[in-house]
Amino acid sequence: VAAVLAGLSLLSLLTCGYLAWGSRRGGAGEAPGNLLGEEPAAGAPRSQPHIIFILADDQGFRDVGYHGSEIRTPTLDKLAAEGVKLENYYVQPMCTPSRSQLITGKYQIHTGLQHSIIRPTQPNCLPLDNVTLPQKLKEVGYSTHMVGKWHLGFYRRECMPTQRGFDSFFGSLLGSGDYYTHFKCDSPGICGYDLYENDNAAWDHDNGIYSTQMYTQKVQQILASHNPRKPIFLYIAYQAVHSPLQAPGRYFEHYRSINNINRRRYAAMLACLDEAINNVTLALRKYGYYDNSIIIYSSDNGGQPMAGGSNWPLRGSKGTYWEGGIRAVGFVHSPLLKNKGSVCKELVHITDWFPTLITLAEGQIDEDIQLDGYDVWETISEGRRSPRVDILHNIDPIYTKAKNGSWAAGYGIWNTAIQSAIRVNHWKLLTGNPGYSDWVPPQAFSNAGPNRWHNERVSWSAGKTVWLFNITADPYERVDLSARHPEVVKQLLRRLSQFNKTAVPVRYPPKDPRSNPKLNGGVWGPWFKEDEKKKKSDKSKGAHKQKKSKNKKKAN
């Protein structure tokens, strides 16, 4: 079975016409290349590489040309083929968790964000005591810029991207919104504008431009105005291909034959995204960054079949701990790679980018920062073994929907009602309710509407709350080995228990009515005022003192 996956990973489609940059040597003002490891000449880029991290949203595992998709992605195919494809690469099953782990290098259990996502109306954000990747890069002279989707909370000004290490921010604060109007409704009547430039609503940019194209234009402006001899960190978190499913008309041209309307729209969105990344790469060459750059591409989680995404042949979807939710499309493209044109099958996780990029940037990782990520540059660039042998996919103590979960089912080591998942070497263990577990083959998208008749399901005995798979031998999670290997189950449950002892309390507060955009000029944005809190606190303290004084008089 593993051979099939390996075969899929090697399917590189022929690149298409608009990739002329493959043979170009760059535009005017581009510094000479340093492809062979020579000492850079005077006036060449500094040794610190330019770092461009591109994060796609909800792109399915199959939804790239080199994984056999019917959707054409010539840019991604070419960049990956000339770089290193990451074919054992993991993220988290949803938006906020993946983004928080990328920017901190820590598992969710160590930031308090282990349950769900940060909702628009919640007074919650990435805890302020966490040092972020852009903050560490700024310490060593990087200019740091973010374009795209934040989704790490904004209820206080201190939570905003510009307060968390980015010199500039242009994009949305929330998880999704209209691609043209940039409005987002959280619930009926709770709607607002969600496009920001730094700390203010970007009304001036509200020209009805499709967000993928608008964000790309902003990236081009940043690259044009920055000095390529100074290192830059550019975090481009595209909204695509997250719902709502919208795309400019011309990108539907090649996909009229797809009957399923969601799949057709999704394909058009991905085609537009692929072209956008081509334009970013052209800008890197034109303005003199490319030869000293590292481009990292990643999806934030698996695809959502009901919204057109495909994770075939993996099991499950976005929002689940099956491989289809957490195994992602990812690659690194850089002239600085030693083993270009290779495939990395070593274990890599999204937390690994934090220490890897800081080390490449010649930065320092403080001893008191307890990271869950590893420096994997030599693994990727030189083909060495990964220092990583395990991944805690998550422990969510709030999500206990497995009615039949119990301590007994977990051999007295673990309460299997809790949703959790862990990978140790070849083994993967899931407990609780892992989520939607179908395999959704390409035929499922053959009809006009969602067609679940083609989906494959495995019926398990009622009350099952533990699964064990050998992911190396069975990457599609078809053979549950929990009954056959109880000792392995116990070992992994003990490992879960050890991780859980290091967990911080979950941060998942109830919604705050003050978050309503109607109370904030029609805009989603910071609503929590520290001064108000202080006044209330002082007022309550004063009232308490007054009451105490009255009681004292009465007692006298």
Side-chain angles (χ1 to χ4, degrees), residues 536-554:
K536 281 183 183 177
S537 175
D538 292 345
K539 201 173 176 184
S540 64
K541 277 181 187 172
H544 184 66
K545 277 183 184 174
Q546 215 174 358
K547 197 173 178 185
K548 223 175 177 183
S549 170
K550 280 181 183 177
N551 290 343
K552 204 173 179 184
K553 283 177 185 174
K554 280 180 185 177

PDB file of all heavy atoms in Angstrom, residues 536-554:
ATOM      1  N   LYS A 536     -13.315  49.462  36.138  1.00  0.00           N
ATOM      2  CA  LYS A 536     -14.283  48.574  36.797  1.00  0.00           C
ATOM      3  C   LYS A 536     -13.678  47.957  38.032  1.00  0.00           C
ATOM      4  O   LYS A 536     -14.293  47.862  39.081  1.00  0.00           O
ATOM      5  CB  LYS A 536     -14.732  47.458  35.828  1.00  0.00           C
ATOM      6  CG  LYS A 536     -15.762  47.924  34.822  1.00  0.00           C
ATOM      7  CD  LYS A 536     -16.203  46.767  33.960  1.00  0.00           C
ATOM      8  CE  LYS A 536     -17.188  47.226  32.908  1.00  0.00           C
ATOM      9  NZ  LYS A 536     -17.563  46.122  32.014  1.00  0.00           N
ATOM     10  N   SER A 537     -12.412  47.542  37.896  1.00  0.00           N
ATOM     11  CA  SER A 537     -11.716  46.903  39.002  1.00  0.00           C
ATOM     12  C   SER A 537     -11.549  47.881  40.159  1.00  0.00           C
ATOM     13  O   SER A 537     -11.814  47.559  41.312  1.00  0.00           O
ATOM     14  CB  SER A 537     -10.361  46.403  38.526  1.00  0.00           C
ATOM     15  OG  SER A 537      -9.633  45.886  39.597  1.00  0.00           O
ATOM     16  N   ASP A 538     -11.123  49.138  39.813  1.00  0.00           N
ATOM     17  CA  ASP A 538     -10.946  50.168  40.848  1.00  0.00           C
ATOM     18  C   ASP A 538     -12.267  50.510  41.516  1.00  0.00           C
ATOM     19  O   ASP A 538     -12.351  50.687  42.726  1.00  0.00           O
ATOM     20  CB  ASP A 538     -10.338  51.440  40.227  1.00  0.00           C
ATOM     21  CG  ASP A 538      -8.896  51.211  39.769  1.00  0.00           C
ATOM     22  OD1 ASP A 538      -8.315  50.190  40.192  1.00  0.00           O
ATOM     23  OD2 ASP A 538      -8.373  52.035  39.004  1.00  0.00           O
ATOM     24  N   LYS A 539     -13.330  50.576  40.679  1.00  0.00           N
ATOM     25  CA  LYS A 539     -14.669  50.900  41.188  1.00  0.00           C
ATOM     26  C   LYS A 539     -15.139  49.832  42.172  1.00  0.00           C
ATOM     27  O   LYS A 539     -15.635  50.138  43.255  1.00  0.00           O
ATOM     28  CB  LYS A 539     -15.645  50.981  40.002  1.00  0.00           C
ATOM     29  CG  LYS A 539     -16.897  51.783  40.300  1.00  0.00           C
ATOM     30  CD  LYS A 539     -17.707  51.936  39.023  1.00  0.00           C
ATOM     31  CE  LYS A 539     -19.014  52.644  39.299  1.00  0.00           C
ATOM     32  NZ  LYS A 539     -19.834  52.718  38.082  1.00  0.00           N
ATOM     33  N   SER A 540     -14.936  48.551  41.779  1.00  0.00           N
ATOM     34  CA  SER A 540     -15.377  47.454  42.653  1.00  0.00           C
ATOM     35  C   SER A 540     -14.547  47.422  43.932  1.00  0.00           C
ATOM     36  O   SER A 540     -15.046  47.149  45.015  1.00  0.00           O
ATOM     37  CB  SER A 540     -15.309  46.119  41.931  1.00  0.00           C
ATOM     38  OG  SER A 540     -13.988  45.814  41.603  1.00  0.00           O
ATOM     39  N   LYS A 541     -13.248  47.755  43.812  1.00  0.00           N
ATOM     40  CA  LYS A 541     -12.397  47.808  45.003  1.00  0.00           C
ATOM     41  C   LYS A 541     -12.865  48.908  45.937  1.00  0.00           C
ATOM     42  O   LYS A 541     -12.940  48.744  47.154  1.00  0.00           O
ATOM     43  CB  LYS A 541     -10.930  48.063  44.600  1.00  0.00           C
ATOM     44  CG  LYS A 541     -10.178  46.822  44.181  1.00  0.00           C
ATOM     45  CD  LYS A 541      -8.754  47.159  43.821  1.00  0.00           C
ATOM     46  CE  LYS A 541      -8.040  45.958  43.225  1.00  0.00           C
ATOM     47  NZ  LYS A 541      -6.711  46.345  42.693  1.00  0.00           N
ATOM     48  N   GLY A 542     -13.222  50.083  45.341  1.00  0.00           N
ATOM     49  CA  GLY A 542     -13.707  51.220  46.139  1.00  0.00           C
ATOM     50  C   GLY A 542     -14.993  50.870  46.859  1.00  0.00           C
ATOM     51  O   GLY A 542     -15.157  51.170  48.046  1.00  0.00           O
ATOM     52  N   ALA A 543     -15.911  50.224  46.116  1.00  0.00           N
ATOM     53  CA  ALA A 543     -17.196  49.833  46.711  1.00  0.00           C
ATOM     54  C   ALA A 543     -16.976  48.838  47.843  1.00  0.00           C
ATOM     55  O   ALA A 543     -17.625  48.903  48.894  1.00  0.00           O
ATOM     56  CB  ALA A 543     -18.096  49.217  45.635  1.00  0.00           C
ATOM     57  N   HIS A 544     -16.018  47.931  47.625  1.00  0.00           N
ATOM     58  CA  HIS A 544     -15.705  46.912  48.643  1.00  0.00           C
ATOM     59  C   HIS A 544     -15.163  47.579  49.913  1.00  0.00           C
ATOM     60  O   HIS A 544     -15.545  47.245  51.028  1.00  0.00           O
ATOM     61  CB  HIS A 544     -14.679  45.924  48.071  1.00  0.00           C
ATOM     62  CG  HIS A 544     -14.363  44.790  49.006  1.00  0.00           C
ATOM     63  ND1 HIS A 544     -15.297  43.849  49.347  1.00  0.00           N
ATOM     64  CD2 HIS A 544     -13.210  44.478  49.667  1.00  0.00           C
ATOM     65  CE1 HIS A 544     -14.740  42.979  50.191  1.00  0.00           C
ATOM     66  NE2 HIS A 544     -13.474  43.357  50.387  1.00  0.00           N
ATOM     67  N   LYS A 545     -14.258  48.594  49.715  1.00  0.00           N
ATOM     68  CA  LYS A 545     -13.699  49.304  50.867  1.00  0.00           C
ATOM     69  C   LYS A 545     -14.778  50.052  51.626  1.00  0.00           C
ATOM     70  O   LYS A 545     -14.823  50.060  52.854  1.00  0.00           O
ATOM     71  CB  LYS A 545     -12.630  50.310  50.385  1.00  0.00           C
ATOM     72  CG  LYS A 545     -11.262  49.683  50.166  1.00  0.00           C
ATOM     73  CD  LYS A 545     -10.262  50.745  49.759  1.00  0.00           C
ATOM     74  CE  LYS A 545      -8.913  50.114  49.433  1.00  0.00           C
ATOM     75  NZ  LYS A 545      -7.979  51.121  48.889  1.00  0.00           N
ATOM     76  N   GLN A 546     -15.697  50.724  50.868  1.00  0.00           N
ATOM     77  CA  GLN A 546     -16.799  51.475  51.477  1.00  0.00           C
ATOM     78  C   GLN A 546     -17.672  50.558  52.326  1.00  0.00           C
ATOM     79  O   GLN A 546     -18.034  50.871  53.450  1.00  0.00           O
ATOM     80  CB  GLN A 546     -17.641  52.117  50.362  1.00  0.00           C
ATOM     81  CG  GLN A 546     -18.200  53.467  50.763  1.00  0.00           C
ATOM     82  CD  GLN A 546     -18.902  54.132  49.567  1.00  0.00           C
ATOM     83  OE1 GLN A 546     -18.919  53.585  48.478  1.00  0.00           O
ATOM     84  NE2 GLN A 546     -19.477  55.274  49.789  1.00  0.00           N
ATOM     85  N   LYS A 547     -17.992  49.393  51.759  1.00  0.00           N
ATOM     86  CA  LYS A 547     -18.829  48.418  52.450  1.00  0.00           C
ATOM     87  C   LYS A 547     -18.149  47.944  53.733  1.00  0.00           C
ATOM     88  O   LYS A 547     -18.763  47.839  54.792  1.00  0.00           O
ATOM     89  CB  LYS A 547     -19.073  47.222  51.514  1.00  0.00           C
ATOM     90  CG  LYS A 547     -20.239  46.347  51.923  1.00  0.00           C
ATOM     91  CD  LYS A 547     -20.498  45.303  50.858  1.00  0.00           C
ATOM     92  CE  LYS A 547     -21.629  44.378  51.281  1.00  0.00           C
ATOM     93  NZ  LYS A 547     -21.810  43.296  50.304  1.00  0.00           N
ATOM     94  N   LYS A 548     -16.831  47.717  53.615  1.00  0.00           N
ATOM     95  CA  LYS A 548     -16.052  47.258  54.761  1.00  0.00           C
ATOM     96  C   LYS A 548     -16.092  48.300  55.875  1.00  0.00           C
ATOM     97  O   LYS A 548     -16.251  48.000  57.052  1.00  0.00           O
ATOM     98  CB  LYS A 548     -14.600  47.021  54.309  1.00  0.00           C
ATOM     99  CG  LYS A 548     -13.998  45.746  54.862  1.00  0.00           C
ATOM    100  CD  LYS A 548     -12.623  45.521  54.285  1.00  0.00           C
ATOM    101  CE  LYS A 548     -12.018  44.283  54.926  1.00  0.00           C
ATOM    102  NZ  LYS A 548     -10.656  44.050  54.463  1.00  0.00           N
ATOM    103  N   SER A 549     -15.940  49.584  55.454  1.00  0.00           N
ATOM    104  CA  SER A 549     -15.941  50.693  56.421  1.00  0.00           C
ATOM    105  C   SER A 549     -17.272  50.793  57.150  1.00  0.00           C
ATOM    106  O   SER A 549     -17.334  50.957  58.363  1.00  0.00           O
ATOM    107  CB  SER A 549     -15.633  51.983  55.661  1.00  0.00           C
ATOM    108  OG  SER A 549     -15.846  53.086  56.474  1.00  0.00           O
ATOM    109  N   LYS A 550     -18.397  50.649  56.386  1.00  0.00           N
ATOM    110  CA  LYS A 550     -19.741  50.697  57.000  1.00  0.00           C
ATOM    111  C   LYS A 550     -19.912  49.571  57.997  1.00  0.00           C
ATOM    112  O   LYS A 550     -20.416  49.748  59.096  1.00  0.00           O
ATOM    113  CB  LYS A 550     -20.812  50.586  55.906  1.00  0.00           C
ATOM    114  CG  LYS A 550     -21.066  51.897  55.174  1.00  0.00           C
ATOM    115  CD  LYS A 550     -22.154  51.694  54.129  1.00  0.00           C
ATOM    116  CE  LYS A 550     -22.373  52.974  53.319  1.00  0.00           C
ATOM    117  NZ  LYS A 550     -23.359  52.756  52.263  1.00  0.00           N
ATOM    118  N   ASN A 551     -19.474  48.369  57.596  1.00  0.00           N
ATOM    119  CA  ASN A 551     -19.590  47.204  58.481  1.00  0.00           C
ATOM    120  C   ASN A 551     -18.811  47.411  59.772  1.00  0.00           C
ATOM    121  O   ASN A 551     -19.238  47.021  60.854  1.00  0.00           O
ATOM    122  CB  ASN A 551     -19.086  45.942  57.770  1.00  0.00           C
ATOM    123  CG  ASN A 551     -20.043  45.519  56.659  1.00  0.00           C
ATOM    124  OD1 ASN A 551     -21.186  45.962  56.644  1.00  0.00           O
ATOM    125  ND2 ASN A 551     -19.570  44.677  55.759  1.00  0.00           N
ATOM    126  N   LYS A 552     -17.643  48.096  59.650  1.00  0.00           N
ATOM    127  CA  LYS A 552     -16.790  48.337  60.806  1.00  0.00           C
ATOM    128  C   LYS A 552     -17.494  49.261  61.793  1.00  0.00           C
ATOM    129  O   LYS A 552     -17.500  49.051  63.001  1.00  0.00           O
ATOM    130  CB  LYS A 552     -15.470  48.957  60.330  1.00  0.00           C
ATOM    131  CG  LYS A 552     -14.323  48.725  61.295  1.00  0.00           C
ATOM    132  CD  LYS A 552     -13.029  49.205  60.690  1.00  0.00           C
ATOM    133  CE  LYS A 552     -11.886  48.988  61.661  1.00  0.00           C
ATOM    134  NZ  LYS A 552     -10.626  49.521  61.141  1.00  0.00           N
ATOM    135  N   LYS A 553     -18.133  50.323  61.193  1.00  0.00           N
ATOM    136  CA  LYS A 553     -18.863  51.283  62.045  1.00  0.00           C
ATOM    137  C   LYS A 553     -19.986  50.588  62.789  1.00  0.00           C
ATOM    138  O   LYS A 553     -20.208  50.811  63.973  1.00  0.00           O
ATOM    139  CB  LYS A 553     -19.432  52.411  61.183  1.00  0.00           C
ATOM    140  CG  LYS A 553     -18.376  53.441  60.779  1.00  0.00           C
ATOM    141  CD  LYS A 553     -18.987  54.485  59.858  1.00  0.00           C
ATOM    142  CE  LYS A 553     -17.899  55.437  59.354  1.00  0.00           C
ATOM    143  NZ  LYS A 553     -18.444  56.368  58.348  1.00  0.00           N
ATOM    144  N   LYS A 554     -20.736  49.734  62.039  1.00  0.00           N
ATOM    145  CA  LYS A 554     -21.836  48.996  62.671  1.00  0.00           C
ATOM    146  C   LYS A 554     -21.316  48.151  63.819  1.00  0.00           C
ATOM    147  O   LYS A 554     -21.898  48.093  64.892  1.00  0.00           O
ATOM    148  CB  LYS A 554     -22.531  48.098  61.629  1.00  0.00           C
ATOM    149  CG  LYS A 554     -23.512  48.847  60.745  1.00  0.00           C
ATOM    150  CD  LYS A 554     -24.149  47.873  59.753  1.00  0.00           C
ATOM    151  CE  LYS A 554     -25.037  48.629  58.773  1.00  0.00           C
ATOM    152  NZ  LYS A 554     -25.605  47.722  57.781  1.00  0.00           N
TER     153      LYS A 554
END
